[in-house]
């Protein structure tokens, strides 16, 4: 019996050693799981913080770009208005230039006529010129010659 009891005791002690080892092993595994969970939680927290920080930076960048776009649009509006003003002024100046060119041409025609008239050799030639030059006008009727020129020879 002593053998049986000793072998019975040894199997009991092996079971208790085995349970003790498994228990210790389970404690170690549980402790590792706890550490891993804690580490994962910290990692997730850091990841959320990085994402939040990145989102804040992107939001700030969007705000700055929107402000820059607004300034650019304002500059474009001002430039467009200046362009339209200059274009309108150029149109007026072109019309004035055309009118002045026509006036100059009319005056040059009158001067040429006067020169031709003074160089004309007969009274008939002078009368023909005066008849054709009676109603020389510019585009806006600002220059009219409705009177006959009187010259003394």
């Amino acid at each position: 019996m002593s053998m049986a009891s000793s072998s019975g005791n040894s199997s009991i002690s092996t079971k208790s050693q085995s349970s003790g080892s498994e228990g210790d092993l389970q404690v170690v595994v549980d402790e590792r799981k706890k550490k891993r969970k804690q580490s994962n939680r910290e990692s997730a927290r850091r990841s959320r913080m990085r994402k939040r920080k990145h989102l804040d930076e992107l939001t700030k960048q969007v705000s700055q770009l929107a402000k820059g776009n607004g300034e650019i649009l304002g500059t474009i509006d001002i430039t467009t208005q200046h362009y339209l003003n200059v274009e309108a002024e150029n149109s007026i100046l072109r019309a004035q230039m055309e009118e002045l060119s026509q006036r100059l041409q009319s005056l040059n025609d009158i001067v040429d006529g006067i020169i031709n008239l003074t160089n004309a050799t007969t009274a008939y030639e002078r009368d023909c010129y005066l008849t054709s030059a009676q109603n020389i006008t510019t585009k806006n009727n600002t220059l009219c010659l409705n009177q006959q020129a009187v010259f003394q020879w």
Side-chain angles (χ1 to χ4, degrees), residues 1 9 14 20 22 30 32 38 42 44 51 59 82 90 94 97-98 102 104 121-122 130 144 148-150 152:
M1 264 201 20
N9 284 341
T14 307
E22 284 179 16
D30 287 345
R32 284 184 184 166
Q38 184 62 32
E42 276 299 310
K51 286 180 182 179
T59 303
H82 284 300
N90 280 346
R94 282 187 199 105
M97 183 185 74
E98 182 64 30
Q102 289 175 358
L104 179 61
T121 56
T122 67
L130 288 175
C144 296
Q148 280 200 345
V150 178
Q152 291 183 355

Side-chain angles (χ1 to χ4, degrees), residues 31-110:
E31 190 63 33
R32 284 184 184 166
K33 282 184 182 180
K34 279 184 183 180
K35 285 182 181 180
R36 191 174 308 126
K37 280 184 179 182
Q38 184 62 32
S39 175
N40 287 346
R41 285 185 188 120
E42 276 299 310
S43 178
R45 185 184 64 77
R46 286 190 307 268
S47 176
R48 285 190 301 272
M49 288 180 66
R50 280 192 307 269
K51 286 180 182 179
R52 194 173 305 127
K53 182 179 178 183
H54 184 63
L55 181 62
D56 290 345
E57 289 172 0
L58 290 176
T59 303
K60 183 178 177 181
Q61 187 177 7
V62 165
S63 176
Q64 289 172 342
L65 290 173
K67 181 181 176 184
N69 283 347
E71 290 172 359
I72 290 170
L73 288 174
T75 302
I76 288 172
D77 288 345
I78 291 169
T79 303
T80 301
Q81 189 59 47
H82 284 300
Y83 170 77
L84 293 174
N85 291 342
V86 167
E87 191 63 32
E89 187 177 347
N90 280 346
S91 180
I92 292 168
L93 291 172
R94 282 187 199 105
Q96 289 175 345
M97 183 185 74
E98 182 64 30
E99 180 182 341
L100 291 173
S101 293
Q102 289 175 358
R103 283 184 183 182
L104 179 61
Q105 183 60 45
S106 295
L107 291 173
N108 283 336
D109 289 345
I110 292 169

Side-chain angles (χ1 to χ4, degrees), residues 5-21:
S5 68
S6 75
S7 66
N9 284 341
S10 73
S11 80
I12 292 175
S13 70
T14 307
K15 281 186 182 178
S16 67
Q17 283 178 355
S18 169
S19 309
S21 294

